[in-house]
Amino acid sequence: MPGEPRRNEYDRVPYPAMSIAYTHPDWMAVVAALFGVDGAPAGACRVLELGCGSGMNLIPMASGLPGSTFLGIDYTRRHIEEADAAVAEIGLANIRFAHADILSYDFSGREFDYIVCHGVYSWVPEAVRERVLAIFEECLAPDGVAYLSYNTYPGWHSRRAIRDALLFHTRHIDDPVARAEAAVEFVQLLSDAMPADSSTFGFHLHNYRVGLEERRQRGSERLAFMLHDELNDVNEPFYLHEVVEAAARHGLAYLADSEFQASMPGKLPPVPAEQFAAASNSPAELQQYIDFVQDRAFRRSLFARAGPASRGQLALRGDLLGHVRLRSGVATRMEVPLEAGVPVAFAGVDGGMITLDQPATKAAFLCLADAHPRSITLDELLERVVAKLEAAGIAIGPEDGQRMASDLMKAFLYSARLVTLQLHDFQLDVSPGDRPRASRSARYAAGKGRTEVTNLLHESVPLDPMSVFLLPLADGTRTRADIADAIEEMVAQGKITPDPSKIAMDHSVIRATVETQLDQTIAAWGRMALLEP
């Protein structure tokens, strides 16, 4: 089997512990509902992850969704040992991990509402790929949803040349760490020799190097990514239509991608979009045309059991909009005039921009920003919008509310970073009291020294050095004074270096400064969706 000689390299260099927001059952349920499948509610569902690594994708889900059950399967013993240790320390009863080969694991009689397979399909031999799709076929509930990520052509044609160069350069290095280090150094050397504007290959190589550097700056284990993604014995990209056809042989239908906004036809120029649509016999075929235009290199596709033709067709159904929840953290750099006809630009965290001039929609974004990171229903939002506009002396009618809802949906379809939808009401504490309580999985991760943790919305958020020390203490039993005492103790032990300008101050002044900074830190945790009621 290709890749067999180096299969245990995961025991030597484990894959980075990470969460993937696109795999959360609530997000999968939202996307599935938009494309014709009513999945199980996130608060009461059954989730399977194939290739779960050390469990840090499933564990935060299990911590935040106690009414759901989770099973993770991975071939690497070290991954499962780390996952089991985390579950035991955190104290979770609704999750289990198994050290097993999915080719032989017995799933008889098991049914799951959501199945996740991230970072596996392109990196395993054909027999394993077929088994993954067979498990989807055998184990998906009637309205279940499966997530499958994989490398794609045409974008990977340029990446293939980089991989070939890396494999050639490291072909005589057996030690996995040394091989990954040599590959990273070679990328730097090769890109120095080929300016970005020297050739198409030089352009892609430069972008690849930038990606490696961003991983280093985020604290990601870039050597592990290099070893297991780029230097893996198997790394097989596919065209989307090839994966869709393979899934169809197992009775599965393509719904959409979990990050479907990235390839909406509306992002193409109107004439080509119309011509591509006319040449397509299915939504999947249209997506394949869009991949050619975007030179796409990676996909996160959602599949369901083959069924009505409506599956895979985007539809903003009225019954869905009636109970969906909205969330937005957009910002604006100016005081927002609510009057009609005055355009205001709002920015998402990904840099996406939307310019609005309608009073109700502008007020809606302000109300959503006030509620962030909590979500609110459309009815609740309309009530807040009416109150905000009335306070400004602006009256609106029913058509304004309809326009507001339409504008918000357009923003969501453009980018989930402008507006996102939820079906689950995540329980967050944005106004913590004297005994703040961070999520159990985030406390665990910070306690292990991780500078990036998963919040209660299943988003990865960075921690500053102070938060890495303090978040594990926020367990709901300690008061703010107790945590401030811990800070002073850390200073005394040399774990935290005090500001030199405050060393000469007396203890009461230093203590007041510590308490002020602690209050600011805890408030930031609330805004980062790290605190639970």
Side-chain angles (χ1 to χ4, degrees):
M1 178 183 296
E4 188 70 27
R6 293 177 176 172
R7 204 167 183 183
N8 290 328
E9 286 184 347
Y10 286 96
D11 284 316
R12 172 77 185 279
V13 184
Y15 201 78
M18 58 189 295
S19 60
I20 303 101
Y22 295 108
T23 67
H24 192 280
D26 186 64
W27 177 250
M28 293 171 67
V30 167
V31 178
L34 290 170
F35 288 88
V37 174
D38 291 321
C45 66
R46 302 157 295 177
V47 181
L48 166 67
E49 184 170 16
L50 303 173
C52 64
S54 59
M56 293 313 293
N57 187 43
L58 283 187
I59 287 172
M61 295 183 197
S63 177
L65 300 171
S68 297
T69 57
F70 301 84
L71 171 63
I73 308 290
D74 200 273
Y75 183 84
T76 302
R77 182 179 299 278
R78 179 174 174 178
H79 284 162
I80 297 303
E81 289 174 349
E82 291 177 358
D84 285 340
V87 167
E89 184 171 334
I90 296 171
L92 299 174
N94 61 334
I95 186 170
R96 186 171 69 85
F97 292 98
H99 172 231
D101 188 333
I102 62 173
L103 285 173
S104 57
Y105 190 84
D106 185 9
F107 287 97
S108 300
R110 301 297 302 270
E111 186 176 83
F112 299 92
D113 301 298
Y114 300 97
I115 302 178
V116 174
C117 187
H118 179 82
V120 174
Y121 194 78
S122 280
W123 295 270
V124 292
E126 182 179 3
V128 181
R129 293 196 293 269
E130 279 297 308
R131 180 57 184 151
V132 167
L133 297 176
I135 292 170
F136 290 177
E137 180 182 17
E138 296 165 13
C139 298
L140 266 185
D143 287 321
V145 181
Y147 166 108
L148 185 70
S149 71
Y150 48 95
N151 288 335
T152 58
Y153 290 129
W156 246 88
H157 282 300
S158 58
R159 291 283 290 271
R160 171 70 75 185
I162 298 173
R163 169 174 157 82
D164 289 344
L166 296 175
L167 290 174
F168 176 80
H169 182 69
T170 61
R171 65 195 184 282
H172 299 309
I173 304 175
D174 292 327
D175 180 78
V177 175
R179 192 163 65 252
E181 289 175 341
V184 169
E185 293 173 359
F186 183 60
V187 169
Q188 297 167 346
L189 176 66
L190 197 59
S191 62
D192 286 341
M194 297 184 65
D197 58 357
S198 64
S199 65
T200 301
F201 180 72
F203 172 79
H204 289 295
L205 184 64
H206 173 77
N207 288 339
Y208 183 79
R209 178 176 178 172
V210 170
L212 283 179
E213 182 63 22
E214 288 176 349
R215 281 177 173 169
R216 184 191 67 79
Q217 292 175 350
R218 293 199 309 267
S220 299
E221 296 87 340
R222 62 175 177 171
L223 292 182
F225 281 112
M226 175 64 76
L227 182 67
H228 301 309
D229 290 355
E230 312 300 353
L231 300 180
N232 195 55
D233 287 339
V234 179
N235 188 329
E236 189 68 33
F238 300 91
Y239 285 102
L240 169 64
H241 73 86
E242 294 176 323
V243 178
V244 170
E245 291 161 5
R249 293 194 291 271
H250 290 273
L252 303 168
Y254 173 77
L255 292 180
D257 263 51
S258 193
E259 47 180 340
F260 71 94
Q261 291 99 333
S263 55
M264 289 289 291
K267 292 190 175 181
L268 300 180
V271 173
E274 293 171 1
Q275 294 177 345
F276 291 147
S280 303
N281 294 315
S282 68
E285 288 190 6
L286 177 56
Q287 287 295 305
Q288 181 62 79
Y289 281 113
I290 294 173
D291 278 7
F292 288 129
V293 174
Q294 296 182 336
D295 196 32
R296 191 156 181 169
F298 188 74
R299 272 193 173 268
R300 310 168 187 268
S301 299
L302 299 183
F303 294 90
R305 295 193 179 279
S310 59
R311 292 195 169 187
Q313 302 283 349
L314 176 63
L316 294 172
R317 305 183 338 247
D319 61 324
L320 174 64
L321 298 180
H323 61 270
V324 78
R325 306 182 66 86
L326 298 95
R327 177 167 58 88
S328 176
V330 297
T332 181
R333 295 181 179 179
M334 56 180 288
E335 188 71 24
V336 177
L338 295 175
E339 294 80 12
V342 182
V344 176
F346 292 87
V349 295
D350 61 349
M353 299 285 294
I354 185 169
T355 301
L356 305 166
D357 63 2
Q358 294 298 311
T361 310
K362 290 188 288 187
F365 271 100
L366 292 178
C367 291
L368 288 171
D370 290 341
H372 188 75
R374 286 177 173 165
S375 62
I376 53 179
T377 67
L378 199 57
D379 287 342
E380 291 172 327
L381 176 60
L382 186 56
E383 289 180 6
R384 298 186 188 190
V385 165
V386 170
K388 182 177 283 291
L389 292 176
E390 286 181 348
I394 300 174
I396 62 171
E399 69 281 357
D400 296 299
Q402 296 169 0
R403 172 68 181 272
M404 177 198 77
S406 175
D407 287 345
L408 291 172
M409 291 306 105
K410 289 177 182 177
F412 167 70
L413 294 178
Y414 181 78
S415 171
R417 298 301 188 116
L418 290 172
V419 177
T420 194
L421 303 185
Q422 298 174 191
L423 291 168
H424 182 70
D425 184 9
F426 293 88
Q427 299 302 298
L428 309 175
D429 186 358
V430 296
S431 301
D434 191 45
R435 299 176 187 269
R437 182 173 66 180
S439 79
R440 289 179 290 174
S441 63
R443 294 202 312 264
Y444 172 83
K448 297 302 179 182
R450 293 176 186 150
T451 58
E452 196 169 283
V453 301
T454 303
N455 68 11
L456 289 161
L457 300 172
H458 210 61
E459 301 165 335
S460 293
V461 295
L463 295 183
D464 58 51
M466 181 70 75
S467 292
V468 173
F469 277 115
L470 298 183
L471 199 66
L473 304 179
D475 60 2
T477 67
R478 294 179 174 87
T479 65
R480 294 179 183 235
D482 294 333
I483 299 175
D485 289 341
I487 295 175
E488 291 191 331
E489 184 176 346
M490 290 176 186
V491 172
Q493 295 173 352
K495 293 181 179 179
I496 299 176
T497 302
D499 185 341
S501 67
K502 298 182 174 65
I503 291 177
M505 295 180 180
D506 61 39
H507 179 268
S508 63
V509 175
I510 295 176
R511 178 70 181 203
T513 302
V514 166
E515 291 177 350
T516 298
Q517 291 180 341
L518 176 61
D519 289 344
Q520 293 171 348
T521 298
I522 292 173
W525 293 345
R527 293 191 298 271
M528 295 163 67
L530 287 169
L531 301 179
E532 55 190 18

